[in-house]
Amino acid sequence: RGVNSKKIGKSKVAFKILNFSCCYKLYFFRFQIQRGKTDPTSYKSLGDSFRTIFRTEGLFGFYKGILPPIMAETPKRAVKFFTFEQYKKLLGHASLSPGLTFAVAGLGSGLTEAVVVNPFEVVKVSLQANRNAFAEQPSTFVQARRIIATDGLGFRGLNKGLTATLGRHGVFNMVYFGFYFNVKNIIPVNEEPTLEFLRKFGIGLVSGTIASIMNIPFDVAKSRIQGPQPTPGEIKYRTCFKTMPSNFILNKLISSFLGGALMLLVYEYAYAWLQKNW
């Protein structure tokens, strides 16, 4: 139908790499939910975590908790970009600069997105904290029912860590969208499709990296609150701001910068295709 085949091809590649980056993130949550130094299976480094997980939990141990993010991915992305466009339209009636409009719209979309994904995050983290072999692990739905039966739907149950999740998504989207669209409008568009693709990819890469640096404390606090406590029977990680650490920056960046770059590429090309064909 006259659609640029190069753009569609690049979009397909971006989707595949984005899916890989989502799976890759699962490994780094294991650093954030360790029980403590006395845990015999605590991880000393990235390489050690791979070896320990493979030795104690088998190959499928790397994919624990993958179903909740897969189930959440479609509504999560839909909510992120749909609400971003809606907030942007609403803010268009206010006397805000374009740069501030993008940032505030991103903040609003992130807060909305957090409400949708937090229950999935609670189930995912609880599954990843299980150190048994993959075959001995409860299913996603069994674990969700267990959490609801034990702690309910509130802030001690399926919505545990909601404040930290709001901070994580709100700060990330605010910086992510605000930086991307402002910088993209400054750097001239390139007529050559490949160079234009690289221009958007580079801006998205930087956007995702900066946004990840800004939201790291909220991300780790969320995982600590939702994961197992260091001492059984004692709640050490209770509130978002008291839980925030200052480490795990490198692991977070590795897991987030690629996905951040590619997500906006997918959005750009999919949005352009829909505008042209619908």
Side-chain angles (χ1 to χ4, degrees):
R1 295 179 61 184
V3 180
N4 190 317
S5 59
K6 288 185 178 180
K7 288 186 177 181
I8 298 299
K10 291 186 179 75
S11 296
K12 288 180 178 179
V13 172
F15 272 117
K16 290 179 180 178
I17 302 177
L18 179 57
N19 287 333
F20 168 78
S21 69
C22 290
C23 296
Y24 195 58
K25 286 182 180 181
L26 295 177
Y27 304 145
F28 297 103
F29 278 102
R30 305 300 283 268
F31 281 100
Q32 297 175 348
I33 59 175
Q34 295 191 78
R35 294 178 176 86
K37 295 180 180 179
T38 58
D39 182 3
T41 57
S42 63
Y43 311 125
K44 301 176 180 64
S45 65
L46 178 60
D48 180 63
S49 73
F50 275 84
R51 291 190 295 271
T52 303
I53 293 170
F54 182 77
R55 185 179 66 253
T56 60
E57 303 171 43
L59 179 62
F60 288 105
F62 292 108
Y63 296 93
K64 283 183 176 180
I66 195 172
L67 185 57
I70 288 177
M71 293 173 61
E73 198 62 27
T74 298
K76 173 184 174 181
R77 302 305 180 194
V79 168
K80 177 193 288 286
F81 291 107
F82 175 76
T83 56
F84 173 72
E85 292 297 331
Q86 300 310 308
Y87 287 128
K88 192 169 65 173
K89 289 178 182 178
L90 288 173
L91 290 167
H93 300 292
S95 57
L96 299 176
S97 65
L100 187 57
T101 297
F102 287 127
V104 175
L107 174 63
S109 71
L111 296 176
T112 309
E113 177 188 19
V115 175
V116 174
V117 304
N118 193 68
F120 294 95
E121 289 288 319
V122 171
V123 177
K124 180 192 71 173
V125 172
S126 67
L127 289 171
Q128 292 178 338
N130 189 321
R131 300 295 180 88
N132 294 329
F134 186 84
E136 301 171 0
Q137 185 180 23
S139 70
T140 297
F141 299 102
V142 168
Q143 186 69 8
R145 287 197 297 268
R146 183 179 297 172
I147 293 171
I148 294 172
T150 305
D151 301 307
L153 298 170
F155 297 130
R156 293 187 178 182
L158 209 58
N159 273 293
K160 183 192 296 184
L162 179 60
T163 303
T165 305
L166 288 168
R168 182 180 79 155
H169 289 269
V171 170
F172 183 90
N173 284 9
M174 179 179 67
V175 178
Y176 189 51
F177 285 114
F179 183 90
Y180 179 81
F181 284 102
N182 280 285
V183 173
K184 193 187 76 165
N185 291 334
I186 295 173
I187 301 176
V189 175
N190 200 301
E191 297 296 329
E192 209 284 311
T194 301
L195 294 178
E196 175 61 11
F197 179 87
L198 292 175
R199 180 185 76 100
K200 291 179 178 178
F201 178 83
I203 299 171
L205 187 69
V206 176
S207 301
T209 302
I210 295 175
S212 295
I213 292 173
M214 298 297 292
N215 87 329
I216 284 172
F218 292 101
D219 186 48
V220 180
K222 179 202 74 69
S223 296
R224 293 276 179 85
I225 293 170
Q226 294 174 347
Q229 300 294 317
T231 304
E234 178 185 333
I235 301 179
K236 178 181 179 181
Y237 305 124
R238 189 185 299 272
T239 62
C240 173
F241 293 100
K242 289 184 179 180
T243 305
M244 284 184 178
S246 59
N247 52 4
F248 297 108
I249 293 179
L250 180 59
N251 293 329
K252 170 65 177 176
L253 289 180
I254 294 173
S255 68
S256 296
F257 78 95
L258 183 60
L262 290 168
M263 184 165 57
L264 280 173
L265 277 178
V266 172
Y267 168 75
E268 286 279 353
Y269 285 102
Y271 187 73
W273 185 88
L274 288 171
Q275 280 192 319
K276 183 176 181 180
N277 293 275
W278 292 84

